[in-house]
Amino acid sequence: MLKLPEDFIFGGATAAYQAEGATAKDGKGRVAWDTFLEENYWFNAEPASDFYNRYPVDLKLAEEFGVNGIRISIAWSRIFPNGHGEVNEKGVEFYHKVIDEAQKRGVEPFITLHHFDTPEALHKEGDFLNRENIEHFVNYAKFCFEEYGGKVKYWTTFNEIGPIGDGQYLVGKFPPGIKYDFGKVFQSHHNMMLAHAKTVKLFKENGYPGEIGIVHALQTKYPHDPNNPADVRAAELEDIIHNKFILDATFKGEYSKGTMEGVNHIFDANGGSLTISDEDMDILYEAKDLNDFLGINHYMSDWMRGYDGETEIFHNSTGDEGTSAYRIKGVGEKVFDVDVPRTDWDWMIYPQGLYDQIMRVMEEYPNYKKIYVTENGMAYKDEFNDGEIDDQPRIDYIEGYLKAIHQAIEDGANVQGYFVWSLMDVFSWSNGYNKRYGLFYVDFETQERYPKKSAYWYKELAKTGELKG
Ligand code: BGP
């Protein structure tokens, strides 16, 4: 029997835009996603899981099922409908109510300030490619620290700077839907890391109570053939795009030689450039030891092969297994034909990848203080049988990854919690409502919640902390 540490957080994760609905209610400002979903997808964010009205139900369920932490994000445009300037009191009040309710239920709120949903007014002006928006973000963060500070223990600046850059400017599945523009990918990564560093510095300089950190999506990249130098290089370059560049910015406060050499190689093959000032680097450097925690979101690993043809990326948004394509000129291509189980959306299930990633953080970035695995979970086309949902594959998935975390802890990593994505079913940004992850099934017509088999399993786990060996 494996036992996770006492005081381990057995959490559940959500995000404002994917859960709340009420996208135009009580003075909320528009976000770029409102328009982007209308124009490009077959679903929208209404009513999502109606968390705006049903948060007491979800928090009660969390309590009943032993979920002792919840990741929620604040929708920037509920507080500042235009991103800055006038404050919307109803929005401010809403998050007071949610935080108070969570605490009443003994469910610790971990608050994210930005989970993909920049106000449309600022997104239109270039999102984080526009440096003015860095200052607007810092001011919004300051407002939140002062408004909610007394009662929030855990703050996260950004959720997944990496996938924001990739989704917005490489794959084009996030607004504004630009593809294959590496200059914008890395500039977005850098500018958002700068916004993070400025916010962390402000948090510490002003002595706000609680802890602050950042959540990175770290998927592990392996060479398809470890003996082939082209495959090894492909894995390295992919890792720089998605992981190493932002980890360097977070914990080294500089981009290492190898990182910049890789970035320049990618620019040479695909075009693009990056603007970084000395002042930017000073700020990153001053913030590098101020992160109280690192959140790791981890869902999959990738196997890479060298590739020099034209760039071509196809995103599997429908769950038709085997339809994904991902090849980048001078970088590499993802190999899907490997002997590893995967979800219907072609995400490779490989718990060892999480172990390796945690160990990598420990070794390469020893000034990390502690880790929470802030998202992990399995998309599954749940079948609803008279209120019973047997999602055994999801249980196996979560158990496998928790064992990897247990092993990492045994081997010296400081991991203090796990948040399953997602607490209840929410919609998926680029896949819609049939890509379910929740412990609680949401009937999106009636908004009724039903505990899945995984919820009962998680409850037992949270009670005992024990994993089957
Ligand atoms: C992460 C996001 C979440 C969530 C999850 C699952 O990148 O932080 O918001 O959506 O991935 O991804 P998807 O919904 O694309 O399956």
Side-chain angles (χ1 to χ4, degrees):
M1 199 62 82
L2 307 175
K3 193 146 170 56
L4 287 157
E6 295 295 320
D7 301 330
F8 196 76
I9 301 268
F10 291 96
T14 69
Y17 195 67
Q18 291 172 280
E20 288 173 2
T23 54
K25 212 158 161 217
D26 293 339
K28 184 179 191 295
R30 282 182 74 81
V31 297
W33 278 96
D34 293 336
T35 311
F36 194 69
L37 291 180
E38 275 162 29
E39 290 175 355
N40 296 286
Y41 288 102
W42 60 96
F43 58 92
N44 61 31
E46 286 292 354
S49 324
D50 195 26
F51 188 71
Y52 195 69
N53 295 304
R54 307 218 174 214
Y55 68 88
V57 176
D58 290 318
L59 288 164
K60 183 163 180 278
L61 279 171
E63 182 188 30
E64 280 170 13
F65 281 78
V67 178
N68 61 356
I70 183 170
R71 276 189 76 211
I72 52 177
S73 72
I74 294 180
W76 184 352
S77 74
R78 271 198 206 287
I79 310 272
F80 291 101
N82 295 310
H84 62 106
E86 209 181 313
V87 172
N88 174 31
E89 288 305 334
K90 284 196 171 158
V92 175
E93 191 48 35
F94 172 65
Y95 293 107
H96 272 297
K97 288 192 291 189
V98 176
I99 293 165
D100 292 347
E101 185 71 18
Q103 271 153 355
K104 185 177 115 194
R105 295 281 174 198
V107 182
E108 188 65 49
F110 283 64
I111 309 285
T112 304
L113 290 166
H114 181 280
H115 194 126
F116 298 176
D117 55 350
T118 305
E120 187 168 55
L122 305 186
H123 202 281
K124 268 205 275 211
E125 301 300 321
D127 201 10
F128 281 90
L129 296 176
N130 180 343
R131 283 177 172 249
E132 278 177 25
N133 290 341
I134 298 178
E135 302 315 316
H136 293 320
F137 176 79
V138 177
N139 291 333
Y140 151 63
K142 181 165 187 271
F143 177 91
C144 292
F145 298 149
E146 283 170 7
E147 182 69 36
Y148 305 109
K151 47 193 182 187
V152 173
K153 283 202 204 122
Y154 301 97
W155 291 100
T156 293
T157 52
F158 289 104
N159 178 73
E160 299 195 348
I161 284 174
I164 290 173
D166 314 339
Q168 297 193 169
Y169 309 117
L170 175 61
V171 181
K173 62 177 182 174
F174 287 9
I178 294 171
K179 292 184 99 171
Y180 314 152
D181 188 331
F182 277 100
K184 288 192 171 60
V185 171
F186 284 109
Q187 196 68 57
S188 169
H189 287 3
H190 171 75
N191 289 7
M192 292 189 79
M193 281 309 310
L194 192 58
H196 164 76
K198 285 188 171 194
T199 307
V200 168
K201 269 171 50 94
L202 173 103
F203 186 88
K204 295 295 179 188
E205 280 160 14
N206 287 4
Y208 295 121
E211 299 187 1
I212 190 160
I214 188 162
V215 167
H216 289 321
L218 304 176
Q219 324 304 350
T220 311
K221 313 288 179 181
Y222 297 101
H224 181 244
D225 174 359
N227 297 315
N228 180 338
D231 293 10
V232 172
R233 180 66 170 153
E236 249 171 45
L237 291 168
E238 255 292 288
D239 182 65
I240 288 172
I241 298 172
H242 302 280
N243 305 329
K244 196 165 165 36
F245 186 85
I246 51 179
L247 280 172
D248 279 5
T250 310
F251 291 114
K252 286 190 192 295
E254 63 178 17
Y255 301 113
S256 62
K257 214 165 142 244
T259 300
M260 281 321 292
E261 185 271 320
V263 171
N264 288 326
H265 169 90
I266 294 165
F267 287 159
D268 285 347
N270 296 275
S273 64
L274 189 53
T275 307
I276 299 180
S277 71
D278 290 346
E279 197 202 336
D280 293 354
M281 295 318 293
D282 290 345
I283 293 166
L284 291 185
Y285 195 79
E286 284 157 17
K288 76 182 174 69
D289 296 317
L290 303 181
N291 299 289
D292 295 305
F293 62 88
L294 168 68
I296 297 182
N297 291 356
H298 181 96
Y299 289 90
M300 65 190 135
S301 294
D302 294 310
W303 279 263
M304 302 299 301
R305 186 155 57 202
Y307 177 75
D308 228 352
E310 289 309 308
T311 300
E312 182 193 28
I313 298 177
F314 182 78
H315 167 61
N316 171 0
S317 63
T318 53
D320 293 330
E321 201 184 322
T323 56
S324 301
Y326 184 98
R327 28 188 94 92
I328 300 174
K329 190 174 183 185
V331 174
E333 68 175 326
K334 281 188 193 171
V335 183
F336 293 95
D337 184 19
V338 286
D339 189 19
V340 173
R342 72 202 64 189
T343 71
D344 288 340
W345 288 263
D346 298 323
W347 291 18
M348 311 295 220
I349 304 170
Y350 191 64
Q352 175 76 29
L354 177 54
Y355 173 86
D356 288 346
Q357 195 60 245
I358 294 173
M359 288 295 124
R360 170 274 178 95
V361 169
M362 224 175 101
E363 280 155 26
E364 288 179 39
Y365 306 97
N367 58 333
Y368 91 96
K369 296 192 182 95
K370 63 175 166 176
I371 289 171
Y372 294 97
V373 173
T374 35
E375 280 182 36
N376 173 252
M378 184 184 176
Y380 186 61
K381 294 171 186 159
D382 290 304
E383 279 179 31
F384 185 87
N385 288 319
D386 282 340
E388 305 238 325
I389 302 103
D390 182 347
D391 58 345
Q392 187 61 41
R394 181 175 288 117
I395 296 173
D396 298 342
Y397 179 107
I398 297 173
E399 190 170 49
Y401 279 94
L402 277 167
K403 281 184 189 165
I405 292 170
H406 179 269
Q407 188 59 50
I409 296 171
E410 291 278 288
D411 293 344
N414 184 15
V415 186
Q416 298 203 355
Y418 174 90
F419 294 75
V420 66
W421 181 268
S422 43
L423 179 65
M424 66 292 191
D425 290 334
V426 298
F427 81 91
S428 161
W429 298 96
S430 55
N431 308 270
Y433 288 86
N434 79 332
K435 195 177 186 190
R436 293 172 180 269
Y437 284 91
L439 294 176
F440 302 107
Y441 186 94
V442 175
D443 177 333
F444 290 108
E445 298 291 314
T446 64
Q447 292 294 339
E448 285 300 310
R449 272 72 168 144
Y450 302 85
K452 301 179 191 174
K453 189 174 173 189
S454 57
Y456 293 102
W457 175 84
Y458 203 65
K459 180 176 183 174
E460 192 54 30
L461 171 73
K463 197 161 75 189
T464 61
E466 285 172 1
L467 294 159
K468 275 192 243 112

